[in-house]
Amino acid sequence: FLAKTFAMARQDEYEADKAAASLLGKGVMADALVEIDVRQQWFAQNFWALHWRSARKKTTPTGPFSAMKYWLAQPVKPAFARQALKASLSLVSGLENTHPVLRDRVDALTGQRPQLPQQWSEGGALSLLNPRKLSEWAKAFDKQWCVENATAWKQHHARLVRSEVALAQLNSEGYQSAADLLQRSQLMLRLDPNAEVRALYEEVLRREPDNAKALAGIIDVLPLDMGDVRLQLLERLFGPHVEYRWWAANQAVELLESRQRIGVEGEEAAALKLWRERVRQTSDLEDQFSEELMQTPLLNGLLPHGLTAFEISEIEAELRNFRPVSQAWLVRKQLNTIRGRSVYVLFAEMGGQGEAEGITLGEQIHDRLEVSGVLYVMRVEQAAMREDIERQGFKPVYLRALG
């Protein structure tokens, strides 16, 4: 039923595009489709990060809708627009899609490949609305958003303040180890996703050329036009670090597929073939890792978590936001399939929570905690489980204060 319904919905979109093109022209409609697609990607990747970053200085939430009006009128930077268009062109319409992908919609209109518009819109449909009413609606939407996100904003503000304090302490110290430099970069990016951390990663790699976290970090922050350098770093990461191979292979394939020269004979085509084969091989390894994890008894082979005092303090601070959690233990497991990848298990007592509530709470906790590995959140339902954990010598990383 859904497959047929979605197919009809996709056909409706084609008809709507055709009707709009009859009024405005095929070229205008094609440009509009491309611009909407690119702007949607920009908002998803940049706008919300920018908005939530303001919680660093503001204790109460600020509504996003008034700011959206400004950003919708700004041209998209060419480098981002090119990358966004390439990403869209790699998509294929599927049975689960209610809308055809951009390539199919533009092709149906013009018979051509989508291109970036020569000129970006400066106002869009918002300029057609009554300015006074638009302002009233934006304020109303902002107010509603602030009410719904008040708690999350408060928690995020506290997290950013903690990060500022920790970063200031690190910056005040003299000599810093590679671990210190990596923590600095992590804190800087938490405070500002566009922070200049490349020099920190480079210093780590100068001291430890095979440091996996530094290699992965610098790959993430290098400019899009440094594709050749990223490929070299991905090769360095792929070789000795089994735990990063699947990620590195997928990053390389994505990069190579975005190159304009892909599809022609030569060195790039051979490189793409190699990395695609690596994706296949590492995907098999990831499946084996998951299978081993599922087959290993939960309480067997537990190890100390090995996290730093700061990392544990962050976990404690985040768990305080979840009132039903009375205490929690964090442990680590090491599997044979990928020995370099840590698997963390947080055992949490959740008083008064039913099964469905406990699952939902566990998912929320999982989304809030940051650990350098795989994380599972397990509910401690019986005293026997708690006693087994404590019998192995593990102490709680979190105890809820009384009162």
Side-chain angles (χ1 to χ4, degrees):
F1 172 78
L2 288 179
K4 292 182 178 179
T5 302
F6 289 174
M8 294 172 64
R10 291 193 296 274
Q11 190 59 42
D12 287 344
E13 292 301 322
Y14 286 127
E15 292 299 323
D17 292 345
K18 184 178 179 181
S22 68
L23 296 173
L24 302 172
K26 294 180 179 180
V28 172
M29 186 57 193
D31 283 350
L33 289 173
V34 173
E35 179 169 347
I36 290 171
D37 188 278
V38 170
R39 285 192 182 278
Q40 182 274 329
Q41 292 188 57
W42 185 90
F43 269 80
Q45 297 179 34
N46 294 283
F47 175 80
W48 290 107
L50 285 169
H51 185 71
W52 280 93
R53 192 193 310 169
S54 62
R56 182 176 178 180
K57 301 299 181 183
K58 298 179 180 179
T59 58
T60 56
T62 300
F65 295 99
S66 297
M68 283 184 181
K69 180 182 176 182
Y70 167 80
W71 286 107
L72 283 169
Q74 304 304 309
V76 181
K77 291 184 178 180
F80 181 90
R82 289 194 297 269
Q83 190 70 15
L85 181 58
K86 289 178 181 178
S88 292
L89 293 179
S90 68
L91 301 178
V92 178
S93 297
L95 295 177
E96 72 283 0
N97 297 126
T98 58
H99 287 60
V101 297
L102 178 65
R103 180 197 294 271
D104 293 343
R105 295 179 72 175
V106 173
D107 180 65
L109 282 174
T110 66
Q112 298 178 351
R113 180 187 178 95
Q115 301 291 332
L116 292 175
Q118 294 295 317
Q119 183 176 357
W120 298 92
S121 62
E122 297 179 356
L126 291 178
S127 62
L128 303 177
L129 299 176
N130 182 297
R132 184 175 61 82
K133 287 294 184 182
L134 177 59
S135 178
E136 291 177 3
W137 293 332
K139 288 179 180 178
F141 291 146
D142 280 339
K143 183 178 180 180
Q144 182 180 353
W145 190 92
C146 290
V147 170
E148 294 174 351
N149 291 274
T151 299
W153 189 278
K154 180 180 178 181
Q155 294 170 356
H156 191 58
H157 170 75
R159 187 166 180 257
L160 295 181
V161 169
R162 295 195 307 269
S163 300
E164 280 189 322
V165 172
L167 182 59
Q169 182 177 349
L170 273 173
N171 289 338
S172 67
E173 296 175 357
Y175 176 81
Q176 295 183 337
S177 66
D180 293 332
L181 295 174
L182 289 172
Q183 185 176 328
R184 275 181 61 191
S185 64
Q186 179 186 6
L187 292 170
M188 290 171 65
L189 289 171
R190 181 186 292 180
L191 292 168
D192 179 1
N194 297 317
E196 294 291 338
V197 295
R198 179 176 167 184
L200 296 177
Y201 290 132
E202 289 174 341
E203 174 58 22
V204 174
L205 293 173
R206 187 187 67 80
R207 302 183 196 179
E208 302 176 7
D210 290 330
N211 188 293
K213 291 182 179 179
L215 285 168
I218 198 170
I219 289 166
D220 264 344
V221 301
L222 280 178
L224 296 176
D225 58 1
M226 295 188 66
D228 290 338
V229 177
R230 292 183 69 206
L231 282 173
Q232 294 170 10
L233 293 168
L234 286 165
E235 187 68 51
R236 286 172 58 183
L237 181 64
F238 184 89
H241 301 291
V242 179
E243 68 275 22
Y244 280 91
R245 284 182 179 174
W246 182 85
W247 181 84
N250 279 276
Q251 289 286 314
V253 167
E254 181 180 345
L255 190 158
L256 287 166
E257 286 182 342
S258 71
R259 297 278 190 102
Q260 294 180 352
R261 297 192 300 273
I262 292 303
V264 300
E265 297 295 331
E267 186 176 339
E268 294 250 325
L272 180 58
K273 182 179 180 180
L274 170 64
W275 281 108
R276 281 176 172 165
E277 174 60 21
R278 287 175 170 178
V279 168
R280 187 192 65 77
Q281 294 173 352
T282 55
S283 295
D284 291 342
L285 187 63
E286 293 292 328
D287 290 342
Q288 295 171 26
F289 176 85
S290 298
E291 184 177 354
E292 181 184 357
L293 180 61
M294 294 299 104
Q295 292 179 349
T296 302
L298 183 62
L299 295 172
N300 284 12
L302 301 184
L303 301 168
H305 54 70
L307 300 185
T308 65
F310 173 75
E311 290 170 328
I312 291 298
S313 70
E314 284 292 282
I315 289 175
E316 289 180 291
E318 293 295 347
L319 289 176
R320 281 197 290 271
N321 295 316
F322 300 96
R323 186 65 183 170
V325 177
S326 57
Q327 58 181 330
W329 298 259
L330 183 68
V331 299
R332 181 170 56 89
K333 295 173 73 75
Q334 190 176 56
L335 304 183
N336 292 322
T337 307
I338 304 179
R339 296 190 61 82
R341 177 180 296 161
S342 293
V343 178
Y344 296 94
V345 184
L346 183 85
F347 294 100
E349 285 193 340
M350 308 174 183
Q353 300 293 293
E355 182 178 355
E357 294 171 321
I359 292 174
T360 299
L361 183 60
E363 292 173 348
Q364 293 171 349
I365 293 171
H366 177 275
D367 292 342
R368 290 293 299 178
L369 301 187
E370 287 186 1
V371 294
S372 56
V374 181
L375 173 66
Y376 290 90
V377 179
M378 306 299 298
R379 181 183 179 193
V380 177
E381 300 185 62
Q382 300 175 346
M385 179 181 286
R386 181 181 68 247
E387 293 169 359
D388 197 346
I389 297 169
E390 293 177 336
R391 190 180 302 115
Q392 297 187 52
F394 299 109
K395 297 181 179 180
V397 295
Y398 170 75
L399 281 169
R400 187 177 64 209
L402 298 177

